[in-house]
């Protein structure tokens, strides 16, 4: 597949993830009377990946996430020469998704970016007031688990055609556990889009949501490569 088409697919997919996932948090989580809450937001993020896995998985592999790209590279499933283009497309898609979400959200009286705009954070900016250490451990471990599921579900010995289902459910589970800690990243692109609009603390804390997911993903790639040598 042509690299430009792969990049376009990653842009569209990550746009969808941020608009759908972060959009559910910003627009619908606490909506009067019918707010979807933590459960709904968790499901929304899982659904964005599930739907795009079937829509663009055959084009780009549906990474939608720099950490996933790094993890697949560490696991021997992805070429290093495509890391840069994929990550650029993912970040651009995330920013575009956040921009559209901003246009929609700012159409309501009283909209306030300082409320967080679904940004990720730790310390006083953690939904539950969790420390930097707690946030770091959460993001590393959750991304590690996410990549183990991705690598396993896409293994050539796994049932073909169903990978999007466990991957989407895994992301839902991750959000159910970690929204109170960091508002859940496990995806540097997803974190970057909203953070650029919030600025200030969201940008100053963004480093953790690049470092921790990538570390967790690379560790998972190494471990899974060892678990399934010469069978991926």
């Amino acid at each position: 597949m042509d690299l430009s088409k792969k990049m376009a697919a990653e842009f569209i997919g990550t746009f969808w993830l941020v608009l759908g996932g972060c959009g559910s948090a910003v627009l619908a989580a606490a909506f009067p009377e019918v707010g979807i809450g933590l459960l709904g937001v968790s499901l929304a993020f899982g659904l964005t990946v599930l739907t795009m896995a079937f829509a663009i998985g055959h084009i780009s592999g549906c990474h939608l996430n720099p950490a996933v790209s790094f993890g697949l590279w560490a696991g021997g499933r992805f070429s290093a020469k495509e890391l840069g283009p994929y990550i650029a497309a993912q970040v651009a898609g995330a920013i575009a998704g956040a921009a559209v979400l901003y246009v929609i959200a700012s159409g309501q009286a009283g909209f306030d970016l300082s409320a967080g705009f679904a940004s990720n954070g730790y310390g006083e900016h953690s939904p539950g007031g969790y420390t930097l250490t707690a946030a770091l451990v959460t993001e590393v471990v959750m991304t590690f688990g996410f990549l183990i599921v991705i690598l396993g579900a896409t293994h050539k010995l796994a049932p073909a055609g169903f990978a999007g289902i466990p991957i989407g459910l895994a992301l839902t589970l991750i959000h159910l556990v970690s929204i109170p800690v960091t508002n859940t990243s496990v995806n540097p692109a997803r974190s970057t889009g909203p953070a650029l609009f919030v600025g200030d603390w969201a940008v100053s804390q963004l480093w953790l949501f690049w470092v921790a997911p990538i570390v967790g993903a690379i560790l998972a790639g190494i471990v899974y490569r060892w678990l399934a040598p010469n069978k991926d």
Side-chain angles (χ1 to χ4, degrees):
M1 184 69 67
D2 181 78
L3 180 58
S4 63
K5 291 183 178 180
K6 293 180 181 180
M7 292 176 66
E10 287 296 303
F11 177 93
I12 292 168
T14 314
F15 171 91
W16 184 242
L17 183 146
V18 171
L19 182 60
C22 295
S24 71
V26 173
L27 303 174
F31 190 76
E33 298 181 11
V34 293
I36 61 175
L38 183 153
L39 293 174
V41 173
S42 300
L43 183 59
F45 271 100
L47 288 173
T48 62
V49 171
L50 173 60
T51 51
M52 276 296 158
F54 286 96
I56 66 169
H58 55 287
I59 300 172
S60 68
C62 192
H63 297 191
L64 318 185
N65 181 341
V68 171
S69 297
F70 269 106
L72 291 173
W73 163 74
R77 306 277 189 88
F78 188 63
S79 171
K81 69 181 181 181
E82 293 189 343
L83 275 173
Y86 262 60
I87 292 170
Q90 292 156 1
V91 172
I95 294 171
V100 170
L101 178 57
Y102 175 79
V103 171
I104 296 170
S106 61
Q108 182 184 52
F111 170 70
D112 183 9
L113 269 176
S114 66
F117 197 53
S119 292
N120 302 112
Y122 55 84
E124 64 179 307
H125 301 294
S126 157
Y130 287 84
T131 65
L132 185 157
T133 299
L136 180 64
V137 171
T138 297
E139 290 293 328
V140 169
V141 173
M142 291 297 165
T143 313
F144 178 91
F146 191 36
L147 263 294
I148 291 293
V149 172
I150 291 172
L151 288 160
T154 57
H155 193 283
K156 71 177 183 180
L157 297 181
F162 297 98
I165 298 172
I167 293 170
L169 289 175
L171 190 60
T172 298
L173 173 61
I174 287 166
H175 278 78
L176 288 172
V177 174
S178 60
I179 284 178
V181 184
T182 62
N183 219 18
T184 309
S185 171
V186 302
N187 184 338
R190 168 265 183 271
S191 297
T192 300
L196 293 181
F197 284 85
V198 175
D200 192 26
W201 65 265
V203 171
S204 68
Q205 294 191 353
L206 185 59
W207 67 270
L208 185 144
F209 303 104
W210 274 86
V211 173
I214 289 174
V215 169
I218 290 175
L219 289 173
I222 294 169
V223 169
Y224 199 85
R225 201 168 187 175
W226 171 76
L227 284 173
N230 304 316
K231 295 179 181 179
D232 54 350

